[in-house]
Amino acid sequence: MAWRSRRVTRRSRKQLPLEERANPRVEGRFPLVEGGVFRTRDDRQFGVGKSSGGLADNRRREKRITVAAEHERRPVDSVELAGERERAPTLVERGQLSDGSRPQLCWDSSAEERAVASSSRQLRRTLWVLVAAATLTVMAGAVLGPVVPRIQRELGVSGLAAGLIITTHGGVIVLASPFAGSLVDRIGARRPFVGGLVVYGLGGGVGLLVDSFYPLLASRIVLGLGTAAVYTSVTVLIYDLYDGQAMERALGYRSSANSAGAAVWPLVGGAAGAVAWNLPFGIYLIAVPLGVVAALTIPEIDPTDDTGDGATDGTGDVAAVLSVFRDRPALPLVYLLYFGANALLYVIVVFYPQFLVGIDVTDSLHISLYLAANGAAGGLSAIAYDRLLRYVDRSTLVLAALILWAVGFGIATAVGTPTGAVIPVVLFGLGVGLVFPSTFAWVEAFAPPARQGQFSSYVASFGYTGQFLSPILFGALVPFAGVRGVFVAAGAVAGLAAVGLGTSRLRGAAT
């Protein structure tokens, strides 16, 4: 079976109560056979052991069994599980159909198992393509951070103008993401993903050939359009191709890749910028061959929702969005969580280097190592995310992250040594690795199944808005309270959020 020609159907989870769809620990259901179509909604992998990875927990698969009786075609009435086995018995094992007739065509379970195992290997390869693409959304701005002063000198522009080179794409992502999400809902995520990678690579890579400010700024707008498409498409592809614990694992890897990218790409950009001021723009071109690999690896996703519930024309009008928020009041809180997490993240990115200068850490390489420690800690906790969900639910992980953030910012207000300054960034990074994948998983659970592209795109919009507003909101405190005052405010925000979430959990437990 040629992988790239395979069409995967986006299965709706509307059949489950909303609270069960939001709970990754809900047990699976037995396979069903309806009208000759074998539909598995089991949280466990069908036909292969649980250790197979990528295809595990995929309840979007449909397996069709066509059986001809001696005189007429009849659907299979039911399939019974034999003990603890995770496959249905073959028709040969059952011996006869429900009406007593012998089947003319038998389902070969061994062939089915081989096909499932092959698909599992393909999905593991697909996951690495998605993870690689996830790092590019971070690279969009991070790779140029170390060379902003050189860009300013070479182009002869002000510091503010040079700063626009690494911030313009973020504003474009905020505005373009909802349109990218609607496109994904209409045509599926594969084509926007592949096309977004190509646009990303060309929009970023053209900086190698540009030596004036305004054409370079225009190329950053193109880069933002590509990033918006890639960001949302990666999210929806994970929703469509993985489910249950496999989806949680994929979301954890995606967040881990983001954290790793935040740590590595500035170092790569700095090294390239030491050779030539415009060489870091060439790094964006790696998205083009990645787009070719994606075209050969990512399966076509059928965006049709087979229940017909939540269908939309993709316009995403305000009234329809507000209606969803009214029916699912937890969804706007998820966006608020992601907005706050990114705002607090940029407190670290923007203000922690200033804090380090105050404790005699002035070398740019040493400062970058602190930020790299933040990214590494986030990567570690994100990798462990799906394993932690075996013991606690998402809200517990988010509560733990908020507490880590409050404690970390509290320590930052009192620490006075370079060694002690490592602790706050590590604690904050550990929290990021828990909050980011939880956010994406909650959106998948709460958003209407036929509009997951649209509502997952709002995650990007809220996140980049939080990054943009963070220096403005918290920076206003610097003239009055200094950088440590910023950490006090950030810690207070995290602490209040933790109290609010903890109180909500207690009320839920009481009722």
Side-chain angles (χ1 to χ4, degrees), residues 94-115:
R94 295 182 62 185
Q96 60 184 16
L97 301 179
S98 58
D99 63 351
S101 60
R102 303 290 298 182
Q104 293 180 353
L105 179 63
C106 297
W107 176 36
D108 185 354
S109 63
S110 61
E112 180 67 23
E113 290 174 1
R114 288 195 298 270

Side-chain angles (χ1 to χ4, degrees), residues 4 26 58 118 213 219 306 320 342 354 377 429 471:
R4 61 176 177 270
V26 172
N58 188 352
S118 175
F213 175 73
S219 73
D306 50 356
N342 278 273
Q354 301 176 36

Side-chain angles (χ1 to χ4, degrees), residues 114-446:
R114 288 195 298 270
V116 170
S118 175
S119 294
S120 178
R121 290 192 296 271
Q122 293 286 1
L123 281 180
R124 283 196 291 271
R125 287 193 286 268
T126 297
L127 178 59
W128 290 116
V129 175
L130 298 176
V131 168
T135 67
L136 300 185
T137 62
V138 177
M139 187 186 82
V143 76
L144 296 184
V147 297
V148 169
R150 290 202 63 182
I151 293 176
Q152 179 182 354
R153 290 195 301 269
E154 294 291 338
L155 299 182
V157 296
S158 66
L160 176 61
L164 288 175
I165 299 298
I166 63 171
T167 59
T168 296
H169 77 281
V172 175
I173 292 170
V174 171
L175 298 175
S177 288
F179 296 98
S182 295
L183 180 64
V184 167
D185 286 333
R186 287 198 299 270
I187 68 173
R190 179 179 180 270
R191 282 174 285 174
F193 178 59
V194 174
L197 286 171
V198 175
V199 171
Y200 177 103
L202 297 179
V206 75
L208 276 172
L209 308 176
V210 173
D211 58 1
S212 58
F213 175 73
Y214 288 106
L216 185 59
L217 192 64
S219 73
R220 305 301 289 179
I221 294 176
V222 176
L223 174 71
L225 295 174
T227 306
V230 172
Y231 195 106
T232 299
S233 298
V234 167
T235 304
V236 176
L237 283 169
I238 290 175
Y239 292 164
D240 287 339
L241 296 176
Y242 308 92
D243 208 25
Q245 186 180 357
M247 185 192 73
E248 307 290 352
R249 183 183 304 116
L251 291 175
Y253 286 171
R254 184 242 181 100
S255 296
S256 179
N258 288 343
S259 297
V264 172
W265 288 123
L267 300 178
V268 176
V275 178
W277 74 271
N278 59 351
L279 186 58
F281 291 96
I283 301 173
Y284 291 105
L285 291 173
I286 65 174
V288 176
L290 183 60
V292 175
V293 174
L296 299 175
T297 305
I298 305 296
E300 187 71 36
I301 306 297
D302 184 357
T304 304
D305 175 44
D306 50 356
T307 67
D309 184 80
T312 179
D313 61 2
T315 58
D317 59 276
V318 175
V321 172
L322 293 179
S323 175
V324 172
F325 286 170
R326 183 173 58 253
D327 295 338
R328 297 166 168 83
L331 191 54
L333 296 179
V334 173
Y335 295 136
L336 180 62
L337 171 66
Y338 199 67
F339 170 88
N342 278 273
L344 294 180
L345 172 62
Y346 265 58
V347 168
I348 297 292
V349 172
V350 174
F351 297 103
Y352 214 74
Q354 301 176 36
F355 162 73
L356 292 173
V357 171
I359 58 173
D360 296 328
V361 180
T362 57
D363 184 77
S364 58
L365 175 61
H366 293 164
I367 292 174
S368 68
L369 292 177
Y370 283 88
L371 300 181
N374 175 73
L380 290 175
S381 59
I383 288 176
Y385 168 75
D386 71 291
R387 297 178 180 86
L388 294 174
L389 283 176
R390 299 174 185 174
Y391 308 103
V392 296
D393 59 16
R394 291 191 195 110
S395 62
T396 301
L397 294 181
V398 171
L399 178 60
L402 293 172
I403 294 173
L404 287 172
W405 291 350
V407 172
F409 282 121
I411 294 175
T413 63
V415 72
T417 65
T419 302
V422 175
I423 299 175
V425 292
V426 170
L427 293 179
F428 190 87
L430 291 173
V432 167
L434 302 177
V435 169
F436 281 14
S438 295
T439 299
F440 288 109
W442 268 327
V443 170
E444 190 272 345
F446 292 130

